[in-house]
Amino acid sequence: MKFSYTPKNVCSRNIDIEVDNNGIVLSVAFLGGCNGNLKGISSLCVGMHIDDVINKLENIRCGFKNTSCPAQLADALKAYKSKKEG
């Protein structure tokens, strides 16, 4: 299933995610933000279960912000799970 998320309080403007029926991340693409870093994070998440991605990324902070692009990816996956469980 494909899912788009608008992150909050970070440089990236959109996150597109694709997850299979077993909860495995198939792809992640950020629009905006630190291009190389976000491509690296996206690549590392492919093949991982969404719960593992959430656990690893949800508390990461960027500078003095209370969030980060990785934390926003975790929030996006939480929103995906919530929508799916609906």
Side-chain angles (χ1 to χ4, degrees), residues 5 14 16 21 27 39 51-53 59 63:
Y5 182 81
N14 191 64
D16 291 322
N21 292 333
S27 66
K39 282 181 181 176
D51 292 332
D52 295 329
V53 175
N59 293 313

Side-chain angles (χ1 to χ4, degrees), residues 8-10 57-72 75 78:
K8 297 157 189 69
N9 301 316
V10 294
L57 301 180
E58 68 184 338
N59 293 313
I60 294 176
R61 304 291 178 251
C62 182
F64 295 106
K65 296 178 183 179
N66 289 328
T67 191
S68 65
C69 290
Q72 288 297 296
D75 287 350
K78 290 177 193 176

